[in-house]
Each structure stands twice: as C-alpha cells, then as structure tokens.
Amino acid sequence: MNMVLQNHLQAAKSSKRPSLDKRTPALTIQGVGLDKDSRCMHYHTKNDVVALACAQCHQHFACYQCHDAIMTHKFAPADPTAQSVMCGVCHQTMDYQAYSQNECPNCHHAFNPKCARHQDIYFES
C-alpha cells in the first residue's frame, strides 16, 4: 500500500466530527480523504455529502469503497427503515424514505441523485 493511501486511512480511522448537541456524543463519519462535509476521494461533487451506515459494524462511511478500504469486512446493506443515513453537513440521521427526497430534511442541502445507482449496495431489498 502506498504512503499516501496509508496516511489517508490513518486519518480516516481517527476522523471525528463535532457534536451538534453537547448532550450527545459526537457522531463519526469515516472515509478516505474526507473534507469537512464528508466528501471522500471516491465521491466529491458538491452534493456528495451523504454518509451511510454498514449493517454489520453500524458505523457511518462516506461511501462503500471507503468502508471496504478501512474495514476487514465488506459493506453490508441496511434495513431501509433504519436510521442508517447521515447528512455530512449537519449530521442529521434519517431512514431511506427521508433520504430518497434528495435533500436533508434538516439543513436542506441537496444530495447527489446519482447515488440511487448504488441503492442495492446501501439498502436491503
């Protein structure tokens, strides 16, 4: 593994985002080369701000490729009714139905509509 990828992986493993509510622990989004809104090296357009939880490890990742690069197991799709989606801008969690509206229900940041191409990776049928 090259040094650049090793550095990205190390930074991803220790990536913490500030809590929006001081009474609750900070929610974490992991990924490779994350920016402040959780865009990663794989998906980094203006609207690539969604993090998705793996059903096996219950951690949020910028994308399935980041998950598979960091973890020792493959990304497992979540139940569509679970709060498995997180907005990378405001950290609002939501289920598939809310996410499928293509914008965050809290901060109204638009989501990338092309993410629907990966629906079968992120959500159980």
Side-chain angles (χ1 to χ4, degrees):
M1 187 175 340
N2 71 38
M3 185 58 80
V4 173
L5 184 54
Q6 285 178 328
N7 289 341
H8 282 301
L9 292 176
Q10 185 60 35
K13 288 179 182 178
S14 62
S15 175
K16 297 265 190 225
R17 298 288 306 253
S19 174
L20 298 177
D21 181 345
K22 299 299 182 199
R23 297 168 290 169
T24 60
L27 298 173
T28 303
I29 297 173
Q30 298 186 58
V32 180
L34 295 182
D35 71 5
K36 69 178 183 61
D37 294 327
S38 77
R39 293 175 195 93
C40 68
M41 70 178 285
H42 306 105
Y43 299 99
H44 40 78
T45 69
K46 178 183 178 198
N47 294 335
D48 288 319
V49 296
V50 174
L52 298 116
C54 169
Q56 183 172 339
C57 62
H58 307 286
Q59 296 179 55
H60 286 86
F61 292 85
C63 75
Y64 72 95
Q65 293 176 57
C66 286
H67 173 279
D68 292 351
I70 295 169
M71 304 304 284
T72 58
H73 62 273
K74 292 286 187 191
F75 190 94
D79 178 328
T81 63
Q83 297 286 306
S84 62
V85 182
M86 185 188 312
C87 175
V89 176
C90 72
H91 283 216
Q92 174 72 37
T93 57
M94 63 201 87
D95 63 12
Y96 175 77
Q97 183 176 356
Y99 162 67
S100 66
Q101 301 305 305
N102 289 321
E103 74 172 18
C104 176
N106 184 54
C107 72
H108 304 288
H109 192 289
F111 297 150
N112 187 341
K114 292 181 181 178
C115 290
R117 295 177 183 168
H118 301 120
Q119 177 179 343
D120 61 326
I121 295 172
Y122 294 114
F123 303 100
E124 295 174 341
S125 301

